[in-house]
Amino acid sequence: MPGSRTGRPPAQRRVTRPPAPRAPRENPLRTFYTRARKAWDRPLTAYYLILGGSLLITGLGLVMVYSASQITALQMSLPGSFFFRKQFLAAAIGTALLLTASRMPVKLHRALAYPILAGAVFLMALVQVPGIGMAVNGNQNWISLGGSFQIQPSEFGKLALVLWGADLLARKQDKKLLTQWKHMLVPLVPVAFLLLGLIMLGGDMGTAIILTAILFGLLWLVGAPTRLFAGVLSVAALIGVILIKTSPNRMARLACIGATEPRSGGADCWQAVHGIYALASGGIFGSGLGASVEKWGQLPEAHTDFIFAVTGEELGLAGTLSVLALFAALGYAGIRVAGRTEDPFVRYAAGGVTTWITAQAVINVGAVLGLLPIAGVPLPLFSYGGSALLPTMFAIGLLIAFARDEPAARAALAMRQPRFGRKRAGGPGLGRGPRRWNTMRRRASAARTSGER
């Protein structure tokens, strides 16, 4: 081997390698979108949205009821926490109803449809009996339970129409009768008109509008033809125009849309205008919890129909947008449950509940913003009122039960093991039991055939 004069081997020439191409930088927006979409498509997304969204709305509603009702309670010579305690009791009972409904099988929900409908019709008829029914703010839709407790049966009529209508349409679909328009309308529309008539006897047009929205939601889900849908909508619109034209109070509410002065065109728009004042004075982050000015006698129904205005004044635009985002998430989750199921009853019931909550929230918020006439309907899960809270929380329990009943959701829940409350396999004296991955490995081994390794 030849070498250099010094006897050393010749130096090896360094080979310069071209730099490795850099990996293209990922777009952070695209990465975030991809991860969000994967999380959004998980089997339990709807379950968590419904459960978490409803509990957050209810919890925030309790805080705002306490803040908005203190002055009203003191003006009535009552303790400042009077309305909050009643709402907290209703929320506790409603939570029990929600948990019960979320654990009930679909067959039991369908079995309760007719008893709930019969009970709602009986109570709504009982309201019109002299000496039993009582009037509040000009509407006779209440029954006194003794003391300061009252019940509004028309709120339970919404739940009754959803359950009974879904069960009726599901049975007709199983028998392939929904191809005939008569079976789409009868007896769904006559029973809905019966409920609407009992409600309108008491003068509560706001609840009647929500019930009409539920009816149209069910007809839409069942695939009613456009002509049939438009015909029923025209009849309902004609009846609504007649009821508005024949009532000076309703005409005055219609004249207050977009009003900026307490006296607009001869109509008393005090409540509508002061609701706008409350929202306008809140700014971005509000004046602070409990620091509302409008609730000091300026804004009527501050803790019921116009609690959204007090929320805007105390928590600002950030607080109101958070509430709207929670309702939007709840509505999306309900639509997702209705769209992914193969059970017709689940589809119609989930769609009916979603229509109910979404339409009521839109009408309430629209009235506070001055975009819609004041209909006198509460903000679901948020406003004060046990009669509205109890059936709504039971309906949320329905959605949770339906979300849990999806095949993919059932499989995801079955793979989970509770961290607490279950004894470990090794016993108390044998140390810690097998880990979750070990259990998964045993399941995978059991699923192999005898020839696999």
Side-chain angles (χ1 to χ4, degrees):
M1 176 177 174
S4 60
R5 293 180 179 179
T6 59
R8 297 178 181 177
Q12 295 182 356
R13 182 179 299 177
R14 293 183 179 180
V15 179
T16 58
R17 298 180 180 179
R22 294 183 179 181
R25 296 181 62 183
E26 296 183 357
N27 188 350
L29 293 178
R30 179 179 291 276
T31 303
F32 175 77
Y33 172 77
T34 303
R35 292 179 179 178
R37 188 170 182 179
K38 288 181 179 179
W40 208 250
D41 290 336
R42 289 177 181 175
L44 294 176
T45 298
Y47 170 76
Y48 286 129
L49 283 178
I50 296 170
L51 180 61
S54 59
L55 292 180
L56 285 175
I57 294 173
T58 305
L60 183 58
L62 286 172
V63 174
M64 293 311 304
V65 165
Y66 180 66
S67 176
S69 64
Q70 284 181 325
I71 307 304
T72 303
L74 293 175
Q75 289 175 346
M76 299 171 62
S77 300
L78 297 171
S81 61
F82 175 78
F83 293 104
F84 168 76
R85 286 181 293 176
K86 290 183 62 177
Q87 186 74 357
F88 185 82
L89 176 61
I93 299 174
T95 302
L97 290 176
L98 183 148
L99 294 176
T100 302
S102 65
R103 294 293 180 174
M104 290 168 54
V106 175
K107 291 183 179 180
L108 185 54
H109 286 302
R110 300 186 67 169
L112 290 176
Y114 280 87
I116 292 178
L117 176 65
V121 171
F122 174 75
L123 291 176
M124 291 166 67
L126 203 62
V127 168
Q128 307 304 323
V129 177
I132 298 179
M134 59 181 300
V136 177
N137 295 332
N139 295 335
Q140 186 167 347
N141 286 309
W142 299 81
I143 296 177
S144 177
L145 300 179
S148 60
F149 291 94
Q150 303 164 354
I151 186 173
Q152 188 177 3
S154 57
E155 293 290 342
F156 295 88
K158 304 171 187 177
L159 178 63
L161 181 61
V162 167
L163 283 177
W164 177 81
D167 178 68
L168 174 71
L169 295 174
R171 286 188 289 108
K172 288 194 173 188
Q173 181 171 334
D174 292 338
K175 297 179 181 180
K176 299 181 179 180
L177 298 175
L178 293 180
T179 55
Q180 307 176 24
W181 67 269
K182 294 181 180 179
H183 286 284
M184 284 187 180
L185 299 182
V186 181
L188 177 64
V189 175
V191 172
F193 279 7
L194 171 63
L195 296 174
L196 289 172
L198 291 173
I199 292 173
M200 290 308 302
L201 283 176
D204 188 2
M205 191 170 183
T207 305
I209 293 175
I210 305 302
L211 215 67
T212 305
I214 295 173
L215 173 62
F216 285 128
L218 291 174
L219 291 177
W220 181 271
L221 289 168
V222 84
T226 305
R227 291 180 298 173
L228 182 63
F229 196 83
V232 178
L233 182 61
S234 301
V235 172
L238 178 61
I239 295 175
V241 169
I242 294 174
L243 292 174
I244 292 174
K245 288 286 187 180
T246 55
S247 173
N249 183 28
R250 298 187 186 114
M251 287 296 297
R253 293 186 179 187
L254 195 64
C256 291
I257 297 179
T260 57
E261 297 294 335
R263 300 291 300 182
S264 177
D268 186 6
C269 302
W270 181 274
Q271 186 180 24
V273 171
H274 277 273
I276 298 296
Y277 289 168
L279 291 172
S281 61
I284 302 297
F285 298 105
S287 58
L289 192 62
S292 170
V293 176
E294 290 293 332
K295 69 183 180 183
W296 287 76
Q298 300 295 325
L299 181 63
E301 307 297 335
H303 61 295
T304 54
D305 301 342
F306 270 67
I307 194 171
F308 189 76
V310 180
T311 303
E313 185 179 4
E314 295 187 351
L315 302 182
L317 181 64
T320 55
L321 289 181
S322 299
V323 174
L324 294 179
L326 289 174
F327 276 110
L330 196 60
Y332 167 79
I335 294 174
R336 172 171 168 161
V337 171
R340 293 195 173 190
T341 183
E342 298 295 333
D343 190 338
F345 171 78
V346 173
R347 182 184 307 115
Y348 300 144
V353 171
T354 306
T355 303
W356 162 16
I357 295 176
T358 305
Q360 188 164 327
V362 169
I363 291 174
N364 179 276
V365 174
V368 174
L369 295 176
L371 303 176
L372 296 174
I374 299 175
V377 295
L379 191 58
L381 301 172
F382 201 82
S383 296
Y384 170 79
S387 296
L389 184 62
L390 294 181
T392 306
M393 294 195 75
F394 186 89
I396 294 296
L398 283 177
L399 290 180
I400 294 175
F402 298 156
R404 290 170 56 92
D405 199 50
E406 291 183 11
R410 283 203 309 265
L413 290 173
M415 295 296 292
R416 296 188 170 187
Q417 292 182 352
R419 296 182 179 180
F420 305 102
R422 179 176 293 183
K423 295 182 178 179
R424 299 188 180 273
L430 298 178
R432 302 184 66 179
R435 299 280 186 182
R436 179 185 177 92
W437 65 270
N438 199 12
T439 306
M440 297 284 291
R441 185 176 63 182
R442 290 202 306 270
R443 290 179 182 175
S445 301
R448 297 174 180 168
T449 58
S450 58
E452 290 180 332
R453 289 188 180 181

